[in-house]
Amino acid sequence: MEVFLVGSVASRSNHTIFSREVLACNHTTTRKIETRLCSSLSSNDKSRTIAPYQSLNLRSCAHKTFLHSLWQLNGRFISQGGFFLIKPEFIPQLRKFAIGIRKKIKCSERFNNLVPLFSFRIIVTMMLAMTLGVSVSRTPSWALSGENLLFLEAWRTIDRAYIDKTFNGQSWFRYRENALRSEPMNTREETYAAIRKMIATLDDPFTRFLEPGKFKSLRSGTQNTLTGVGLSIGYPAKNDKSISGLMVISAAPGGPAYRAGISSGDLILAIDDTSTQNMGIYDAADRLQGTEGSGVELIVRHGDETRHLSLKREKVLLNPVKSRICRVPGLGEEAPLIGYIKLTAFNQNASGAVREAIETLRGNNVHAFVLDLRDNSGGLFPEGIEIAKIWLNKGVIVYICDSRGVRDIYDTDGSNAVAASEPLAVLVNKGTASASEILAGALKDNKRAVLFGEPTFGKGKIQSVFELSDGSGLAVTVARYETPDHTDIDKVGIFPDHPLPVSFPRDDESFCGCLQDPVSACYLNRVDLFSK
């Protein structure tokens, strides 16, 4: 913008009057600021033009100081800046400002001994500079396109929600400015690429960008169905450099991968002839999902054995709960009954399904429960909290932490408890992750349950999903969590109280046999099962 402040001064009864004149000027594209503070001075003889302030016969030294300050300010702006524009309607306000300054100058003459004139000059210069600076700051240096605005929407979402406020040791604001200047964003694909590049600087595998189709697929996966092979995958432990590829966390019971014998701990070495050595887990998930009935080729390592598998994608129904009644032998019809509940996912139906299973089992005289969280890779955080409330009378469920420490506490007062007193055992393994670990940690630390199995996966970060204006989305790491005993389980996992027999089955159909046959290799005594 361009501005010219022009003051005309006329001598009338020893009063100085500022009137407005607006001069036209040629437009310039420079972004610097030039302010020309001019004084067109005239007397009652309008044919004679007065020179600048040095030739004025001003009574007050303060007047000279004031005009001298304006001319010095003009010189500084010209030497350091370009052009900007203030609308003409703002000029009367500046005129009022100038009249006020004139009155203050008269007062300053009376207190000249108390307030040095050079101090007044500095104050006036600063006030004018600040006023003009505000006008400049409100002017964008370039116009933002729709693609730029989508990029800024993604940047703002991460800025507000991301757990690490150092943003992996970089200036997040500077990155935004540099990206808007240097990254091409002429098409939607270029904008998506710029967003992915921005996220990559965080070095966080769990924070990622989701195109509209992938975002829709993610939401359907937390509801009830998913089209793919039924695998949950993760990264191998970083401290084991001998392992390459992606690790299977769990295989959905009844799904194509489960039927092919893929189990937690197996390594996926390649998907459709593409190595997974440097593949991200979400890129791999996209490759595993696809059209119902289409095929996918996998190379899977189980121990020392490597297998080539051809699987067909299908719609995997994510029914989160299976249950059955196990009768302990020895007392005939009077034998105690144990209710077995297999929880496979934390989708939108999970807490309601668990509650319904408990009520059904209790109606059949069940007075002890086994909750199987093996190969449950997690899901919706709120469902994990609600299921914990079902089993607890009171106590802390989880601490939510950010870079400054504990940010929030989830606890329960027992008002939602359904089975808070019956004996409870929980089964876990290395496929137990995320929301499953929150539930297992809450039950263990509150001394509500006995844990059996092996150390869990160790995913101690929480992501939130945000939808952008064009239907795409962001999954952003917003917090980490600690168990009620303030244990940070990220990359460590939760350690069970007791191991399970090596041959203990993973499926619900075989579970009861391990409680009923004392000579079985997987036999687990009822007393040992619930002993704390």
Side-chain angles (χ1 to χ4, degrees), residues 2 42 82 95 140 153 160 167 224 281 368 457 460 492 528:
E2 303 165 351
S42 63
R95 178 177 176 273
E153 185 182 358
R160 293 172 180 172
F167 299 96
N224 287 318
I281 57 174
F457 181 78
V492 177
D528 295 335

Side-chain angles (χ1 to χ4, degrees), residues 136-390:
V136 175
S137 67
R138 292 177 178 176
T139 305
S141 55
W142 65 85
L144 295 175
S145 67
E147 299 302 322
N148 294 146
L149 292 175
L150 180 62
F151 175 85
L152 285 174
E153 185 182 358
W155 179 92
R156 213 163 26 241
T157 300
I158 296 172
D159 178 58
R160 293 172 180 172
Y162 192 57
I163 180 176
D164 178 14
K165 293 309 177 184
T166 71
F167 299 96
N168 197 29
Q170 63 180 321
S171 171
W172 196 236
F173 287 92
R174 185 176 295 117
Y175 184 92
R176 177 192 66 182
E177 298 305 312
N178 291 340
L180 287 173
R181 288 189 177 93
S182 60
E183 294 295 332
M185 299 182 204
N186 300 312
T187 66
R188 188 53 48 92
E189 286 305 316
E190 287 181 345
T191 304
Y192 286 170
I195 294 173
R196 291 192 192 94
K197 184 176 179 180
M198 172 178 66
I199 292 173
T201 65
L202 300 174
D203 194 25
D204 178 358
F206 300 109
T207 296
R208 76 271 190 196
F209 173 73
L210 303 163
E211 294 181 2
K214 296 175 183 177
F215 181 72
K216 183 179 179 181
S217 176
L218 176 67
R219 289 196 299 186
S220 68
T222 62
Q223 290 169 358
N224 287 318
T225 61
L226 189 66
T227 302
V229 296
L231 280 177
S232 294
I233 55 178
Y235 296 105
K238 288 187 177 180
N239 54 8
D240 192 345
K241 297 183 179 179
S242 63
I243 297 178
S244 62
L246 297 174
M247 181 175 289
V248 175
I249 298 176
S250 65
Y258 185 89
R259 296 196 302 268
I262 298 177
S263 60
S264 60
D266 289 355
L267 293 175
I268 300 177
L269 304 181
I271 303 173
D272 284 334
D273 297 327
T274 301
S275 171
T276 61
Q277 184 171 0
N278 297 313
M279 187 182 295
I281 57 174
Y282 297 104
D283 182 16
D286 291 338
R287 294 171 184 268
L288 292 172
Q289 297 174 23
T291 307
E292 185 175 4
S294 60
V296 59
E297 303 289 326
L298 300 181
I299 300 178
V300 180
R301 179 183 297 163
H302 178 81
D304 295 330
E305 178 188 4
T306 300
R307 297 189 295 163
H308 294 254
L309 301 173
S310 298
L311 304 179
K312 276 194 174 182
R313 299 181 180 94
E314 61 185 53
K315 190 170 289 186
V316 180
L317 297 176
L318 302 177
N319 183 11
V321 171
K322 290 184 178 181
S323 63
R324 62 178 53 247
I325 298 174
C326 299
R327 188 180 299 276
V328 178
L331 298 176
E333 293 297 325
E334 300 298 324
L337 302 179
I338 296 176
Y340 172 84
I341 299 174
K342 174 75 172 178
L343 180 60
T344 59
F346 289 81
N347 59 21
Q348 289 180 350
N349 295 334
S351 60
V354 170
R355 190 181 301 270
E356 182 180 346
I358 291 172
E359 298 289 1
T360 300
L361 293 170
R362 185 180 280 154
N364 287 283
N365 296 319
V366 165
H367 299 292
F369 295 95
V370 174
L371 178 62
D372 193 347
L373 297 177
R374 291 176 298 170
D375 300 323
N376 184 329
S377 59
L380 298 176
F381 172 80
E383 289 297 304
I385 300 299
E386 291 303 313
I387 294 174
K389 291 180 180 180
I390 289 173

Side-chain angles (χ1 to χ4, degrees), residues 74-124:
N74 175 52
R76 290 171 186 165
F77 272 70
I78 291 174
S79 65
Q80 298 179 9
F83 286 90
F84 67 98
L85 176 65
I86 291 181
K87 295 181 178 180
E89 56 263 35
F90 293 149
I91 302 299
Q93 298 178 19
L94 292 175
R95 178 177 176 273
K96 292 179 181 179
F97 174 75
I99 293 173
I101 290 293
R102 178 172 56 82
K103 293 178 180 179
K104 299 303 179 184
I105 290 174
K106 290 184 177 181
C107 294
S108 69
E109 292 177 341
R110 301 176 184 176
F111 301 96
N112 197 29
N113 293 331
L114 297 177
V115 181
L117 290 176
F118 76 91
S119 299
F120 174 77
R121 181 173 61 192
I122 292 173
I123 294 171
V124 172

